[in-house]
Amino acid sequence: MGGDLEFLQNHSLTSVLRREIEALILSGAFGPGERLNENLLAARFAVSRGPVREACRALVEKGLLELVPNRGVYVRRIDDRQAAELYDLRAGLFATAARLLAATITDAELDELDALLLGMEAAAARQSLEDYYPLNLAFHERILSFAGNASLLAAYREAIKALHLFRERGLLHGGGLSVSNSEHRAILEALRGHRPLAAMEAAFLHVQNGKARMILPGREDGQTGTA
């Protein structure tokens, strides 16, 4: 029993630390290419190094950090050109999945996407990126999964690994969460109407609009965004 309690306590602490460190990265407190010092983070949050290390590993998996063997973890560095190329790839993959799904989508799948959309609308009303972003990820992931093409899903997952930092920041610009979710609504309505071409177009435009929101106004040096 004691072991189970310790596991739950450590798991919860790791989750809290992951969110806190992620918020610091997204706020620009740590710049692209900057090394995260586990000792300093542990002291900052008054915890041991173990949960900090686990939290950093989770952020490596998410694509916000990168692990350099024998050196430590660093904020992932990606410039606007690289991110734009990945957005273009993602747009094609997501649009293809929407086109395939429009022909086969079931009522149960529509209900699941509707529920995610309603959750995002509520989060957008609260201006809660923390609540919105996981639902946003799930909405896109479900569309790829429901499309039934395993190779397409694998390629999509690989493409988005490096884009989490840009995607989260992009949701805070160009109209924010509500604009992003209105685009989700257009995709869902095309899927509901079993209109493959309309679904493909709406999905493609959504990702391209996300790319435009990702490249912050006034930054023309081509370097990774930190705002």
Side-chain angles (χ1 to χ4, degrees), residues 6-207:
E6 182 180 359
F7 171 81
L8 291 173
Q9 289 173 334
N10 289 337
H11 181 73
S12 177
L13 177 58
T14 298
S15 298
V16 170
L17 288 171
R18 178 191 58 76
R19 290 194 296 269
E20 291 296 323
I21 296 170
E22 180 176 345
L24 288 171
I25 294 169
L26 293 175
S27 72
F30 300 117
E34 183 174 350
R35 180 178 179 272
L36 298 192
N37 187 304
E38 290 182 358
N39 289 328
L40 292 179
L41 286 172
R44 177 175 187 149
F45 296 112
V47 298
S48 65
R49 287 181 59 191
V52 170
R53 186 178 301 113
E54 290 302 314
C56 288
R57 286 176 181 169
L59 293 174
V60 168
E61 289 295 319
K62 188 174 181 181
L64 295 182
L65 299 177
E66 57 183 344
L67 175 64
V68 180
N70 302 317
R71 294 182 60 189
V73 291
Y74 295 77
V75 178
R76 187 158 189 173
R77 185 188 298 277
I78 178 172
D79 63 29
D80 285 346
R81 180 188 57 78
Q82 293 170 317
E85 289 176 356
L86 288 169
Y87 264 93
D88 288 340
L89 174 61
R90 178 174 164 250
L93 296 171
F94 189 51
T96 299
R99 177 179 61 81
L100 294 173
L101 180 58
T104 64
I105 194 165
T106 66
D107 288 342
E109 290 167 346
L110 285 168
D111 287 344
E112 187 169 347
L113 292 175
D114 266 323
L116 289 169
L117 193 65
L118 289 174
M120 282 186 283
E121 286 177 353
R126 298 191 303 273
Q127 285 297 294
S128 174
L129 177 61
E130 182 178 350
D131 293 338
Y132 185 95
Y133 190 62
L135 298 171
N136 177 59
L137 291 178
F139 182 84
H140 292 87
E141 178 84 5
R142 293 293 190 277
I143 288 176
L144 267 294
S145 298
F146 292 159
N149 187 314
S151 296
L152 187 65
L153 176 60
Y156 181 85
R157 285 174 172 169
E158 188 65 27
I160 67 171
K161 280 183 180 179
L163 286 176
H164 282 295
L165 181 57
F166 278 89
R167 291 177 69 192
E168 290 198 47
R169 286 182 182 153
L171 289 169
L172 299 176
H173 298 273
L177 308 182
S178 297
V179 170
S180 175
N181 212 39
S182 69
E183 295 165 1
H184 292 149
R185 173 68 66 186
I187 296 168
L188 183 55
E189 291 311 310
L191 292 173
R192 195 188 313 278
H194 298 283
R195 295 179 288 140
L197 292 181
M200 180 174 66
E201 181 178 3
F204 185 84
L205 287 176
H206 172 56
V207 179

